[in-house]
Amino acid sequence: MVEITRKQREIQLRTQEILRVAKPILLAEGLQALTMDRVAALMQYAKGTIYNHFPNKEEIVLALALEAMKLRHKLFEKAASGDRPARIRLMSIGLACEFYTQRCTEEFQIEQWMRNSNIWDKSSPDRQTVIRQCEAGCMQIVAGLVRESLSHGELQSPKHLSPEEMVFGLWAITFGSQILTASSPSLQALGIFDPIRSTRIHCCQLLNGFGWQPILSVDEYLNLVEQIASEFFPQFEQIQREHR
Amino acid sequence: MVEITRKQREIQLRTQEILRVAKPILLAEGLQALTMDRVAALMQYAKGTIYNHFPNKEEIVLALALEAMKLRHKLFEKAASGDRPARIRLMSIGLACEFYTQRCTEEFQIEQWMRNSNIWDKSSPDRQTVIRQCEAGCMQIVAGLVRESLSHGELQSPKHLSPEEMVFGLWAITFGSQILTASSPSLQALGIFDPIRSTRIHCCQLLNGFGWQPILSVDEYLNLVEQIASEFFPQFEQIQREHR
DNA sequence: GTAAAAATTGACTTCTCGTCAATAATTGAC
DNA sequence: GTCAATTATTGACGAGAAGTCAATTTTTAC
């Protein structure tokens, strides 16, 4: 159906090459070091050619961010799979977030760049839409688990909150913790020594607060998380490798 | 003690003027519209004079951010004052956050700019330190309430979490919710219609999870929050006015 | 082999940042 | 009040990146 010439394939590959070249510059030296001139020089193309692929450098960053979010999405999918109780699989998603932040540090860092208003505001609505869809996809995986639990009776819909609003709480606490951890280098000075453990505990209390079965004590929860981690982390690593 | 000439006073006032001129540009047109040339032209000074006050525009933004955080700090102080149980005063701090986000939108927006790595990384360590201290000051107000509750026996130190780690949870969920609300325009599309109410409920569940007396049902909590709001919001408004 | 279409090139314009030598204003000693 | 020293102000300038586009080269289709 879709014809594709050698030339067109070459061009598509070059788009990937640009991202491959831009990524380490962005990660190591920041946005200001990432210039179209530099990318062009490194790839031995004229600047105009790079502009044929991306209308500005911000779009390069968002393209990298989309790659990163796709990895996150894959991790979420893996975590949500299997036939354990939904609450347990939800815990796995928490672990996927931890894995992503800690072991996919480059991707996590690039996701932060994406939230930079300089970058976001300069990029095209199209790319913004694609990224939002990917975000919504992650959200929906989690919301799916909530709905499943509701239909299986492991969770009574609290009269106060919709499934999505429950997800919002978990999302906010996980996301908030990660941003604070990443952006407040003085967290230790403030007396917070193990933010990951704290976040696990807070999630546990939120889930218990929802009345989500099986209710777990903090100790049970922490043990179970460790157990799940030892099982999932190798699988996550596999996904991470495949993602390249 | 400190001698100050007319000229020096003039210069100090001009620093304030620069901020006053820069603020609406930043808020309405973003960072790229805020140029030293433009500020200089608007104030009818040469560019070099502006550079005598701020070594770059990023420092202007951080100076504005510091003003914003001082307002936040004042709101926190007000919320934490009084002689009600610490848990109730903690709820007031949650309301202070809501007030800040919703009614001090300019300040809130500027705080977001501050977290922009372009800006943060270009500013001087000195200014960064001052800002961190202000942030730590807010944190300490909250941590103080936790410690007070511990000493009054309203709160048993959970074996799992230090006071600061409890604050971290509340901080993360509040902060995370606000960032998500501010940066995901599609929150409605995802099924989250009243993020503020959701956040209140999640905080309530976290506090109950800590076993913090008085334990409140969600309904009781929501009612009480409304009650406190009607009392505090006028006071917050007063502080906001004085802040100018 | 050739003409049309597509892709590539890099010089050029524009913009902003940040500097600094020259100039102006202020201060304080006399 | 004068004058030299100090301090502040000015704006032309250099550097460097963004983004454009007419000219040139390569590819494609016949």
Side-chain angles (χ1 to χ4, degrees):
Chain A
M1 203 74 225
V2 181
E3 292 286 324
I4 198 160
T5 66
R6 181 179 65 78
K7 184 68 190 173
Q8 286 174 312
R9 210 166 51 242
E10 261 177 47
I11 292 176
Q12 283 182 5
L13 281 173
R14 197 163 52 214
T15 301
Q16 291 308 116
E17 267 304 286
I18 292 173
L19 297 180
R20 210 184 54 73
V21 167
K23 190 170 173 179
I25 299 177
L26 181 67
L27 288 169
E29 300 174 63
L31 185 67
Q32 59 136 10
L34 179 62
T35 70
M36 293 305 230
D37 283 295
R38 187 166 168 190
V39 171
L42 275 171
M43 298 185 65
Q44 294 173 288
Y45 283 105
K47 186 161 53 160
T49 302
I50 311 298
Y51 273 96
N52 279 351
H53 291 266
F54 297 98
N56 52 53
K57 66 175 175 177
E58 285 78 10
E59 293 261 349
I60 296 182
V61 179
L62 279 207
L64 285 169
L66 183 60
E67 295 298 305
M69 292 190 67
K70 282 181 184 167
L71 172 58
R72 181 190 280 275
H73 191 269
K74 282 187 215 159
L75 295 176
F76 273 42
E77 272 182 332
K78 168 60 77 182
S81 69
D83 51 10
R84 272 184 267 214
R87 174 164 170 172
I88 308 298
R89 280 181 282 145
L90 191 69
M91 289 163 65
S92 310
I93 290 187
L95 279 168
C97 288
E98 288 180 19
F99 180 86
Y100 188 76
T101 310
Q102 293 199 281
R103 307 283 185 88
C104 312
T105 48
E106 295 186 345
E107 283 79 7
F108 180 69
Q109 205 183 319
I110 288 171
E111 270 193 18
Q112 303 317 114
W113 279 108
M114 180 187 81
R115 302 192 178 273
N116 182 317
S117 51
N118 291 299
I119 293 174
W120 186 260
D121 296 344
K122 266 206 181 180
S123 66
S124 68
D126 277 1
R127 210 178 284 274
Q128 292 178 2
T129 304
V130 179
I131 286 181
R132 287 234 186 78
Q133 280 168 356
C134 195
E135 189 176 54
C138 289
M139 171 85 176
Q140 249 112 54
I141 290 174
V142 186
L145 291 180
V146 178
R147 284 205 210 84
E148 194 187 316
S149 269
L150 285 170
S151 72
H152 288 189
E154 294 149 8
L155 176 62
Q156 309 293 316
S157 184
K159 64 179 180 216
H160 304 291
L161 291 170
S162 71
E164 282 78 10
E165 286 167 333
M166 289 188 241
V167 178
F168 180 65
L170 295 164
W171 190 15
I173 202 163
T174 307
F175 178 70
S177 298
Q178 289 175 348
I179 301 289
L180 289 176
T181 305
S183 74
S184 283
S186 48
L187 226 51
Q188 290 240 347
L190 297 174
I192 294 137
F193 300 104
D194 191 346
I196 292 174
R197 186 172 159 281
S198 300
T199 308
R200 288 180 180 178
I201 293 173
H202 292 130
C203 284
C204 170
Q205 292 190 335
L206 228 43
L207 293 172
N208 283 343
F210 295 149
W212 199 331
Q213 303 299 323
I215 301 286
L216 297 165
S217 74
V218 169
D219 279 328
E220 285 169 339
Y221 188 91
L222 291 176
N223 284 334
L224 187 51
V225 167
E226 283 303 334
Q227 196 182 311
I228 301 173
S230 63
E231 177 186 341
F232 268 104
F233 270 35
Q235 298 184 39
F236 289 157
E237 273 161 5
Q238 177 65 22
I239 291 172
Q240 186 185 19
R241 277 194 299 274
E242 283 164 9
H243 179 73
R244 308 209 173 282
Chain B
M1 204 74 222
V2 181
E3 292 287 323
I4 199 160
T5 66
R6 181 179 65 79
K7 186 69 191 172
Q8 285 174 312
R9 211 166 50 242
E10 261 177 47
I11 292 176
Q12 283 183 6
L13 280 174
R14 196 162 53 213
T15 301
Q16 292 308 312
E17 266 304 286
I18 293 173
L19 296 180
R20 211 183 54 73
V21 167
K23 191 171 173 177
I25 300 177
L26 181 68
L27 288 170
E29 300 174 62
L31 184 67
Q32 59 137 12
L34 179 63
T35 69
M36 293 304 229
D37 284 293
R38 186 165 168 190
V39 171
L42 275 171
M43 299 186 65
Q44 294 173 290
Y45 283 106
K47 186 161 54 160
T49 302
I50 311 299
Y51 273 96
N52 279 351
H53 291 266
F54 296 98
N56 51 55
K57 66 175 175 178
E58 286 77 11
E59 293 261 349
I60 296 182
V61 179
L62 278 208
L64 285 169
L66 183 60
E67 295 297 305
M69 293 189 68
K70 280 181 184 167
L71 172 57
R72 182 190 279 276
H73 191 268
K74 282 186 214 159
L75 295 176
F76 273 42
E77 272 182 332
K78 168 59 76 181
S81 70
D83 51 9
R84 272 184 267 215
R87 175 164 169 173
I88 308 298
R89 280 181 281 145
L90 191 69
M91 289 163 65
S92 310
I93 290 187
L95 280 168
C97 289
E98 287 180 20
F99 180 86
Y100 189 76
T101 310
Q102 292 200 280
R103 307 281 186 90
C104 312
T105 47
E106 295 187 345
E107 282 79 7
F108 180 69
Q109 206 183 319
I110 288 172
E111 269 194 17
Q112 303 316 115
W113 279 109
M114 181 187 80
R115 303 192 177 273
N116 182 317
S117 51
N118 291 298
I119 292 174
W120 185 261
D121 295 345
K122 266 206 180 179
S123 66
S124 68
D126 277 2
R127 212 177 283 273
Q128 292 179 1
T129 303
V130 179
I131 286 182
R132 288 234 186 79
Q133 280 167 356
C134 195
E135 187 174 57
C138 290
M139 172 85 175
Q140 248 113 55
I141 290 174
V142 186
L145 291 179
V146 177
R147 283 204 210 84
E148 194 187 316
S149 269
L150 285 170
S151 72
H152 288 187
E154 294 149 7
L155 176 62
Q156 309 293 316
S157 183
K159 64 179 181 216
H160 304 290
L161 290 169
S162 72
E164 282 78 12
E165 285 167 334
M166 288 188 243
V167 178
F168 180 65
L170 294 164
W171 189 15
I173 202 164
T174 307
F175 178 70
S177 298
Q178 290 176 347
I179 301 288
L180 289 176
T181 305
S183 73
S184 283
S186 47
L187 225 51
Q188 291 239 349
L190 296 175
I192 294 138
F193 299 104
D194 191 347
I196 292 173
R197 185 172 159 281
S198 300
T199 307
R200 288 180 180 179
I201 293 173
H202 292 131
C203 284
C204 170
Q205 292 190 334
L206 228 43
L207 292 171
N208 284 343
F210 296 150
W212 197 333
Q213 302 301 322
I215 300 287
L216 298 165
S217 74
V218 168
D219 279 327
E220 285 168 337
Y221 188 92
L222 291 177
N223 284 334
L224 188 51
V225 167
E226 283 303 334
Q227 198 182 309
I228 300 173
S230 63
E231 177 184 342
F232 268 104
F233 271 35
Q235 299 184 39
F236 289 157
E237 273 162 5
Q238 177 65 22
I239 291 171
Q240 188 185 18
R241 276 193 300 274
E242 284 164 10
H243 179 72
R244 310 210 172 281

